[in-house]
């Protein structure tokens, strides 16, 4: 088996200011399925093509942002190894008991130098609404809303960027697919992959720790992005930019906001990455085209609007 | 004067007025922070990381969550770090 250790982004727990409005947004507009609502108030959702129980968790709070991002690892052995490797690298590790979220096994947690909290787990219950496996149809229940396929990746902002990217590369087994190099040794953006996706997480330099830029949902193609754009206008969803394309990863995209100001992305395409691929680099002068390929310039919101 | 069903930020955006930065429009990011110097208004939900209760009492609000009930006089502030 070629893919070992960390497999993919598995979940993202977001803070929201108004649960009712958030449910309309994530369930009815984006089109995630509601899995459960637990006693502590957290709501669990999933996209239709995910096998695991849940991927997006919403928690009511008085400020928005991301509580933590979880990555699924291959098996319990890998999880044990991951803990050893993190500890050996000098990273403090915390244990989260199985069941802290319903249906999930034990988790290993650390806080990155950038301020974000990352969890790793090997076990999650399978959903009874996962993709069909026996003589499967393309979908079982007809996709709703923006027709999201899966939770795909996050872009996170914070300081101590290099230190964090180093942990992802040296300990967690990620590779850097693309960077934005501002000058000499200074890299302001890392796009990291643990799979054959162009990125599974992206990290950008920012003066404050632990900031959330966006979580992204994979859509099927340009037509699906168009459908999502129609929904955004029809329901007056706050749009940041798009439909457009990223130079980095080549993904087609729309950035938009949930009712609490957390940025979401719908995204489609992007190249396949293999471990022997050379790293792609962007210089500061071309950063506009790197981020928004058609506009060829950043908007003010890209660098300044985070939760 | 703005129609009260629209937030101050939404009205400024409609008028292509760039005095206040337009961010998430959801009371989360804080780039539209302003101080109300004069006038009557209501507010929607705002991130407490951007506007504390104390600040809210002193008239500091997020323009995207600010619904005017009279003419308002505003001072533009920055996002809080
Ligand atoms: S625009 Fe983000 S808080 Fe108002
Ligand atoms: Fe993205």
């Amino acid at each position: 088996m070629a893919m070992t250790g960390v497999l993919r982004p598995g979940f993202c727990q977001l803070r929201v200011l108004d649960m009712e409005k958030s449910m309309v947004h994530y369930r009815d507009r984006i089109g995630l399925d509601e899995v459960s609502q637990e006693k502590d108030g957290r709501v669990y959702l999933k996209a239709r093509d995910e096998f695991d129980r849940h991927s997006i968790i919403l928690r009511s709070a008085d400020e928005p942002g991301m509580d933590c991002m979880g990555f699924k690892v291959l098996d319990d052995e890998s999880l044990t190894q991951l803990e050893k490797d993190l500890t050996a690298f000098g990273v403090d590790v915390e244990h989260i008991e199985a069941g802290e979220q319903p249906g999930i096994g034990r988790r290993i947690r650390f806080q990155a130098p950038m301020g974000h909290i990352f969890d790793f787990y090997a076990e999650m219950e399978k959903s009874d609404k996962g993709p069909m496996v026996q003589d499967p149809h393309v979908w079982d229940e007809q996709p709703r809303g923006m027709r999201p396929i899966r939770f795909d990746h996050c872009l996170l902002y914070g300081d101590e960027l290099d230190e964090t990217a180093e942990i992802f590369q040296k300990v967690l087994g990620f590779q850097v697919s693309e960077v934005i190099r501002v000058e000499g040794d200074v890299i302001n953006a890392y796009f990291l992959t643990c799979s054959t996706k162009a990125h599974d997480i992206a990290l950008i330099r920012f003066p404050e720790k632990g900031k959330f830029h966006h979580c992204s949902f994979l859509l099927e193609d340009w037509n699906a992005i168009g459908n999502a754009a129609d929904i955004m206008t029809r329901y007056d969803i706050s749009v940041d930019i798009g439909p457009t394309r990223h130079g980095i990863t080549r993904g087609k995209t729309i950035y938009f906001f949930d009712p609490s100001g957390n940025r979401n992305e719908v995204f489609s395409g992007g190249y396949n990455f293999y471990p022997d691929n050379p790293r792609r680099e962007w210089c500061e002068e071309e950063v506009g085209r790197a981020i928004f390929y058609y506009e060829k310039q950043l908007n003010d919101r890209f660098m300044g609007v985070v939760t | 004067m703005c129609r009260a069903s629209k937030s101050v930020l939404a009205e400024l955006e409609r008028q292509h007025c760039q005095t206040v930065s337009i961010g998430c429009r959801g009371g989360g990011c804080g780039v539209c922070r302003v101080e109300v110097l004069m006038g009557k208004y209501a507010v929607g939900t705002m991130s407490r990381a951007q506007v504390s209760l104390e600040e809210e009492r002193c008239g500091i609000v997020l323009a995207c969550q600010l619904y005017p009930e009279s003419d308002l006089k505003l001072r533009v502030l920055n996002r809080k770090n």
Side-chain angles (χ1 to χ4, degrees), chain A residues 48-281:
Chain A
R48 73 171 150 98
D49 216 31
E50 293 164 339
F51 285 102
D52 286 352
R53 182 185 183 279
H54 60 258
S55 57
I56 297 295
I57 304 121
L58 304 179
R59 181 173 76 83
S60 286
D62 64 7
E63 58 178 284
M66 187 186 84
D67 279 337
C68 58
M69 179 179 181
F71 290 91
K72 183 123 189 234
V73 305
L74 180 64
D75 51 22
D76 198 69
E77 217 168 88
S78 311
L79 199 57
T80 304
Q81 189 59 45
L82 196 78
E83 173 171 13
K84 281 190 197 141
D85 295 345
L86 281 165
T87 309
F89 202 73
V91 179
D92 290 333
V93 166
E94 216 186 301
H95 296 107
I96 310 293
E97 273 177 42
E100 190 274 337
Q101 296 175 2
I104 197 170
R106 71 181 181 107
R107 281 182 278 166
I108 301 296
R109 165 175 289 187
F110 76 94
Q111 183 166 26
M114 278 177 85
H116 305 86
I117 290 176
F118 295 108
D119 286 359
F120 300 85
Y121 60 99
E123 305 290 339
M124 191 188 283
E125 260 173 30
K126 291 279 174 281
S127 168
D128 46 18
K129 285 179 101 181
M132 297 172 74
V133 290
Q134 179 67 48
D135 310 311
H137 283 289
V138 288
W139 34 257
D140 189 6
E141 277 176 33
Q142 193 171 343
R144 298 173 297 105
M146 301 181 197
R147 309 196 291 256
I149 292 170
R150 63 162 186 250
F151 159 52
D152 192 87
H153 65 267
C154 287
L155 168 55
L156 305 175
Y157 275 32
D159 64 356
E160 300 196 60
L161 181 70
D162 302 306
E163 294 81 346
T164 302
E166 197 181 11
I167 295 173
F168 271 89
Q169 291 173 82
K170 293 198 174 149
V171 188
L172 305 173
F174 284 61
Q175 272 185 276
V176 177
S177 55
E178 306 200 33
V179 294
I180 299 171
R181 188 184 294 280
V182 287
E183 57 169 303
D185 289 346
V186 186
I187 289 177
N188 269 3
Y190 289 89
F191 293 77
L192 294 140
T193 176
C194 60
S195 65
T196 58
K197 287 153 63 186
H199 67 333
D200 286 295
I201 187 170
L203 307 171
I204 288 187
R205 192 181 298 284
F206 193 68
E208 290 166 63
K209 278 193 194 298
K211 290 293 158 190
F212 175 77
H213 190 275
H214 70 259
C215 66
S216 186
F217 299 97
L218 181 71
L219 303 191
E220 188 140 334
D221 51 22
W222 257 127
N223 287 341
I225 300 274
N227 172 62
D230 292 343
I231 290 172
M232 289 179 210
T233 297
R234 171 61 183 86
Y235 296 107
D236 203 17
I237 292 172
S238 172
V239 173
D240 180 357
I241 191 167
T244 183
R245 189 200 264 269
H246 295 306
I248 294 175
T249 75
R250 301 196 213 122
K252 299 134 197 157
T253 176
I254 308 173
Y255 282 161
F256 58 108
F257 295 99
D258 81 2
S260 313
N262 296 309
R263 194 187 275 92
N264 298 148
E265 175 182 43
V266 285
F267 157 95
S268 157
Y271 56 80
N272 292 328
F273 176 85
Y274 287 93
D276 63 334
N277 289 173
R279 176 181 300 189
R280 294 158 214 238
E281 290 218 3

Side-chain angles (χ1 to χ4, degrees), chain A residues 261 305, chain B residues 9 21-33 47 50 62-65:
Chain A
V305 173
Chain B
L9 194 73
S21 301
I22 292 155
C24 67
R25 309 178 188 89
C29 71
V31 299
C32 68
R33 246 165 126 250
S47 167
Q50 291 300 325
L62 301 172
C64 66
Q65 302 298 309

